[in-house]
């Protein structure tokens, strides 16, 4: 009955509070120098409904505005203290991993020092992520990413595994300097990233296969935060690029971007409701795809094995997932044909409807515009981050090719390349 239910729920919450208090007491005995910092934090245990309401209120999605600096400012020493206070980790090795707007740190722990917080330790180390100031206001969205990664683990798709902190939560909000940032810990997955592997037609085929399998695996995944989440990196918001085009000093480049935006508005935005939708990864690029060397006797030298970084996951059109991935794969070679090998793998799992295929070239060009315009804009705010400019030259070359008279035939080339590749006995 209702009375029994509330008694059970109250008991459950009290037990959780007591268990966490005992865990904190233990850590304070083991790490006495952390007592003061821990006492300063107010520990609340909201109910599930309270969490949902709070998340929905704070997630009424903010979108990046021109002139806003959002990257966290934090030192390596501060990261070490966070790792110890939140996760009981005594850092043995630490190094920063390149990132766009966040700060990511690889950490290996000193296994000679007992850690009462993490029950099952990762032999490969961890990645401590400090989210940018904008995404740190979106606790519901971060929870959605966490649930998605846990769900993918159940589907046998390799991705980072979230780790609970001392409070029994998968992330916490920390005051760093004058701004608040969400901090979370993920298990590090060994392997090489796509960028480090010599490109091959087979690898692009596998990449397409992986993306389609990924989207199929999460087809029924839902989370309330995805209903309201908005980001400038979603292809839905390509028209917002008009506010950032000023960062381009080359008038001819501005004109191309403006042409792509106009075409995108006409052919995609105005027909938005006709396209199939679902949760997508949203950033299948060469830095987020894991590749491992084959151990079998197969002629394949490498295999696509996993996926990283769910910060751009969102609920949107499936054709956007395809376009984003194709754009980044073609950037690896600078050749339009590469998109055909990727398409061959993708369509082995999901056939692209004709109305999606008709706008694919526009969507690929739109993603290139996003990457190039926002890259230049972000570089003006963070000129020391060379990673931001990693695809600029190749990106402009590819965009200009795709938007030329020759590029108008790209869809025909993609289809022809895919068909010919699929006819081969060995792929």
């Amino acid at each position: 009955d209702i009375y029994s239910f509330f008694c059970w729920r109250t008991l459950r919450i009290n037990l959780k509070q007591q268990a966490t208090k005992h865990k904190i007491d233990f850590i304070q005995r083991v790490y006495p120098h952390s007592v003061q910092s821990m006492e300063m934090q107010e520990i609340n245990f909201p109910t599930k409904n309270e969490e949902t309401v709070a998340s929905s209120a704070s997630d009424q999605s903010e979108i990046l505005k021109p002139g806003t600096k959002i990257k966290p400012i934090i030192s390596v020493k501060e990261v070490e203290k966070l790792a110890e206070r939140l996760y009981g980790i005594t850092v043995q090795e630490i190094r920063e991993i390149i990132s766009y707007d966040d700060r990511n740190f690889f950490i290996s722990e000193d296994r000679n020092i007992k850690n009462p917080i993490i029950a099952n330790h990762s032999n490969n180390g961890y990645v401590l992520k400090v989210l940018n100031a904008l995404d740190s206001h979106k606790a519901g969205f971060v929870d959605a990413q966490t649930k998605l990664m846990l769900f993918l683990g159940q589907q046998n798709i390799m991705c980072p595994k979230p780790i609970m902190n001392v409070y029994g939560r998968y992330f916490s909000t920390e005051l760093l300097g004058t701004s608040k940032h969400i901090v979370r810990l993920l298990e590090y997955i060994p392997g090489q990233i796509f960028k480090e592997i010599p490109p091959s037609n087979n690898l692009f085929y596998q990449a397409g296969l992986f993306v389609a399998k990924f989207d199929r695996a999460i087809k029924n995944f839902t989370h309330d935060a995805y209903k309201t989440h908005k980001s400038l990196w979603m292809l839905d918001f390509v028209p917002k690029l008009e506010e950032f085009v000023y960062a381009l000093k080359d008038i001819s480049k501005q004109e191309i971007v403006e042409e792509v935006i106009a075409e995108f508005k006409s052919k995609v935005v105005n027909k938005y409701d006709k396209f199939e939708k679902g949760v997508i990864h949203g950033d299948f690029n060469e830095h987020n795809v894991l590749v491992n060397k084959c151990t079998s006797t197969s002629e394949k030298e490498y295999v696509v094995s996993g996926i990283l970084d769910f910060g751009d996951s969102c609920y949107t059109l499936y054709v956007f997932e395809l376009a984003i991935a194709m754009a980044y794969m073609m950037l690896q070679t600078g050749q339009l044909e590469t998109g055909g090998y990727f398409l061959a793998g993708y369509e082995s799992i999901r056939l692209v409807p004709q109305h999606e295929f008709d706008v694919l070239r526009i969507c690929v060009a739109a993603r290139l515009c996003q990457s190039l315009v926002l890259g230049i804009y972000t570089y003006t705010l963070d000129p020391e981050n060379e990673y931001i400019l990693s695809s600029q030259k190749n990106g402009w070359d590819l965009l200009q090719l795709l938007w030329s008279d020759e590029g108008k035939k790209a869809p025909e080339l993609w289809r022809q390349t895919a068909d010919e590749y699929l006819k081969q006995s060995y792929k």
Side-chain angles (χ1 to χ4, degrees):
D1 58 16
I2 295 176
Y3 176 75
S4 299
F5 168 77
F6 279 108
C7 288
W8 171 84
R9 187 173 183 179
T10 302
L11 176 62
R12 184 169 176 265
I13 292 173
N14 287 337
L15 288 173
K16 183 179 179 183
Q17 290 176 332
Q18 291 174 22
T20 304
K21 183 179 185 302
H22 291 157
K23 184 185 286 186
I24 293 173
D25 289 342
F26 182 86
I27 294 168
Q28 289 177 334
R29 291 196 299 273
V30 177
Y31 308 112
H33 57 283
S34 298
V35 173
Q36 184 177 359
S37 59
M38 294 183 72
E39 287 177 342
M40 292 173 64
Q41 299 216 11
E42 180 181 356
I43 304 172
N44 296 311
F45 298 89
T47 66
K48 185 174 182 180
N49 288 338
E50 289 172 338
E51 286 179 336
T52 303
V53 171
S55 297
S56 299
S58 64
D59 284 0
Q60 292 308 313
S61 296
E62 305 175 36
I63 295 180
L64 181 67
K65 296 178 176 60
T68 306
K69 293 185 177 181
I70 60 175
K71 193 157 188 171
I73 299 175
I74 186 170
S75 68
V76 170
K77 196 67 178 174
E78 289 173 311
V79 172
E80 290 181 1
K81 290 180 179 178
L82 283 174
E84 183 176 27
R85 176 165 61 82
L86 296 174
Y87 298 96
I89 293 175
T90 300
V91 176
Q92 185 173 55
E93 177 193 351
I94 184 170
R95 68 174 185 272
E96 186 161 7
I97 304 171
I98 55 173
S99 180
Y100 207 93
D101 289 325
D102 301 329
R103 300 287 298 278
N104 299 329
F105 298 85
F106 168 79
I107 290 174
S108 65
E109 65 177 326
D110 187 342
R111 300 295 293 275
N112 294 317
I113 299 178
K114 187 176 177 61
N115 183 345
I117 298 176
I118 301 176
N120 299 312
H121 296 266
S122 169
N123 293 325
N124 300 309
Y126 304 91
V127 175
L128 188 139
K129 299 179 70 70
V130 183
L131 272 59
N132 66 73
L134 190 62
D135 288 342
S136 290
H137 288 296
K138 305 174 182 179
F141 175 54
V142 177
D143 183 65
Q145 294 176 50
T146 301
K147 298 292 197 308
L148 179 55
M149 285 186 278
L150 294 171
F151 180 82
L152 284 167
Q154 296 170 355
Q155 305 298 311
N156 295 318
I157 291 182
M158 185 182 292
C159 69
K161 177 185 174 183
I163 303 296
M164 280 190 177
N165 60 25
V166 63
Y167 309 122
R169 308 289 290 274
Y170 283 112
F171 60 88
S172 64
T173 301
E174 306 294 327
L175 182 63
L176 305 177
T178 58
S179 60
K180 293 181 178 180
H181 295 272
I182 284 179
V183 176
R184 55 182 173 158
L185 190 73
L186 307 173
E187 284 190 1
Y188 176 79
I189 303 178
Q192 292 178 276
I193 58 173
F194 198 98
K195 176 76 174 175
E196 300 169 340
I197 304 300
S200 69
N201 297 343
N202 175 260
L203 205 53
F204 293 124
Y205 170 82
Q206 284 190 60
L209 201 64
F210 187 93
V211 168
K213 285 181 178 178
F214 176 93
D215 287 343
R216 183 178 64 181
I218 65 171
K219 193 172 182 66
N220 296 319
F221 177 83
T222 60
H223 192 290
D224 287 344
Y226 282 126
K227 297 175 183 177
T228 57
H229 173 65
K230 297 177 183 178
S231 165
L232 196 59
W233 281 101
M234 292 171 63
L235 273 183
D236 310 61
F237 293 96
V238 161
K240 295 285 289 182
L241 284 179
E242 292 173 332
E243 298 176 20
F244 296 84
V245 172
Y246 73 88
L248 302 175
K249 304 308 177 186
D250 188 323
I251 300 300
S252 63
K253 290 179 178 178
Q254 286 186 12
E255 290 175 350
I256 292 178
V257 172
E258 288 165 355
E259 285 179 18
V260 172
I261 293 174
E263 194 79 357
F264 186 86
K265 286 180 179 179
S266 172
K267 301 289 177 60
V268 181
V269 175
N270 290 343
K271 301 176 181 178
Y272 192 85
D273 292 337
K274 295 183 178 180
F275 300 99
E276 186 180 4
K277 304 173 185 68
V279 175
I280 68 170
H281 179 270
D283 195 20
F284 192 88
N285 69 54
E286 69 278 15
H287 295 282
N288 290 338
V289 182
L290 284 175
V291 179
N292 282 333
K293 204 171 182 65
C294 282
T295 55
S296 67
T297 56
S298 166
E299 293 182 46
K300 299 175 185 177
E301 190 175 359
Y302 293 96
V303 60
V304 174
S305 58
I307 185 79
L308 308 172
D309 194 352
F310 292 81
D312 287 311
S313 57
C314 57
Y315 180 84
T316 188
L317 312 187
Y318 282 123
V319 68
F320 287 172
E321 180 90 295
L322 174 59
I324 290 167
M326 281 182 65
Y328 286 120
M329 294 299 103
M330 287 190 290
L331 277 172
Q332 303 313 296
T333 63
Q335 298 175 358
L336 296 178
E337 290 90 338
T338 300
Y341 300 119
F342 183 91
L343 182 66
Y346 184 89
E347 287 207 307
S348 297
I349 302 294
R350 177 184 182 261
L351 291 176
V352 180
Q354 187 59 46
H355 66 288
E356 289 188 10
F357 192 76
D358 290 342
V359 299
L360 186 55
R361 171 178 168 266
I362 298 170
C363 292
V364 171
R367 181 50 165 204
L368 291 171
C369 287
Q370 270 186 324
S371 180
L372 294 166
V373 172
L374 295 180
I376 286 292
Y377 163 73
T378 307
Y379 184 72
T380 63
L381 301 179
D382 187 13
E384 294 183 2
N385 191 346
E386 295 293 334
Y387 168 65
I388 295 170
L389 302 180
S390 60
S391 62
Q392 283 290 316
K393 183 177 187 311
N394 291 346
W396 284 112
D397 289 344
L398 182 60
L399 178 60
Q400 288 166 347
L401 174 60
L402 188 61
W403 212 245
S404 66
D405 289 339
E406 179 186 349
K408 291 177 181 177
K409 300 176 183 178
E412 181 183 336
L413 177 63
W414 292 335
R415 178 65 69 202
Q416 180 184 346
T417 303
D419 290 346
E420 290 178 356
Y421 188 75
L422 288 173
K423 290 175 184 176
Q424 298 177 12
S425 58
Y426 167 67
K427 298 178 178 60

